[in-house]
Amino acid sequence: MQAASAKLYRWATEKANAKHAPLWVGIIFFLELILFMPMDAVLMFFCLQNRSRALWYVLIAALASMLSALCGYLIGHFLWDLIGDYIVPHFISHHAFDRIAGHFQQYEHWAVFLGSFLPLPLKALSLSAGVFELGALQFIAWVGLARLFRFMIVGGSMILWGETVKTFVDRHFHRILVAIGAKVVAISLFVWLMAR
């Protein structure tokens, strides 16, 4: 496991220091809809490797994340009629679905902003927004604002305290991967329990 994490670390360092690093940031954050990885950690890593480009990475990440959210919204909006009857009784109860729909409609803007700002899966938020037919323009605007604010905190932190963080990451990369994996499992379990 440690050998694999060392290999992953070297690969990520190469990409973060490459000439086309901004393109990698854009691709990774655009694929956020299908990737199961904490995006803040990805952005942090890129900003650590090249702090002079941190704000540029933040802008690219926020824009790519908005595009990813729009794709999720459109998938949820247009595919729900095809798959909704399969999902509601099998993956989520009718009661839970109606409760979530009510919350979304009552707290639409706050739900989108907080869901995009907090470390929750963007795929769940964007698909749900499409299913519940929230306004597309308002959805994208709130996602963009929340993501930009969140990523500015990450990028700004790396500019201010990057050397200390880089030393810690270099020393404990393997443990960080294990903690991230545990977080992904915990969030998945929480979402599954909420849907029951």
Side-chain angles (χ1 to χ4, degrees):
M1 179 75 174
Q2 283 189 332
S5 65
K7 192 173 182 180
L8 176 63
Y9 183 76
R10 284 194 301 274
W11 179 86
T13 303
E14 272 179 33
K15 298 306 174 206
N17 288 313
K19 179 182 176 183
H20 301 294
L23 180 63
W24 278 104
V25 171
I27 290 170
I28 291 169
F29 278 82
F30 179 72
L31 295 176
E32 182 176 2
L33 194 63
I34 58 171
L35 295 176
F36 286 91
M37 59 173 37
M39 304 314 287
D40 296 301
V42 173
L43 180 60
M44 182 181 87
F45 192 82
F46 273 82
C47 290
L48 277 176
Q49 298 302 319
N50 197 339
R51 274 172 278 164
S52 64
R53 285 181 155 184
L55 295 179
W56 180 232
Y57 293 158
V58 164
L59 293 173
I60 292 170
L63 181 60
S65 193
M66 285 171 60
L67 292 173
S68 184
L70 179 60
C71 289
Y73 177 94
L74 293 173
I75 290 168
H77 182 76
F78 290 111
L79 290 184
W80 183 250
D81 290 338
L82 296 174
I83 61 173
D85 291 336
Y86 177 75
I87 289 177
V88 171
H90 297 98
F91 291 100
I92 185 170
S93 69
H94 286 283
H95 174 71
F97 183 82
D98 292 340
R99 190 178 70 224
I100 293 168
H103 287 313
F104 249 123
Q105 288 156 1
Q106 186 176 1
Y107 305 107
E108 178 177 340
H109 301 295
W110 282 112
V112 172
F113 180 82
L114 290 175
S116 300
F117 181 74
L118 297 173
L120 300 172
L122 185 65
K123 52 190 75 58
L125 176 71
S126 58
L127 290 168
S128 301
V131 167
F132 299 126
E133 299 182 350
L134 304 184
L137 292 177
Q138 295 96 325
F139 169 74
I140 289 302
W142 285 105
V143 167
L145 184 64
R147 289 311 230 201
L148 185 60
F149 186 49
R150 175 176 160 182
F151 294 159
M152 285 293 285
I153 292 172
V154 173
S157 299
M158 295 309 99
I159 291 170
L160 292 174
W161 301 295
E163 204 53 53
T164 305
V165 175
K166 187 171 184 340
T167 303
F168 179 82
V169 170
D170 288 346
R171 187 175 301 150
H172 302 289
F173 187 73
H174 175 70
R175 289 185 182 94
I176 292 169
L177 280 183
V178 171
I180 287 170
K183 178 192 161 196
V184 169
V185 169
I187 288 172
S188 302
L189 183 61
F190 174 76
V191 169
W192 181 78
L193 289 173
M194 290 298 291
R196 302 316 288 166

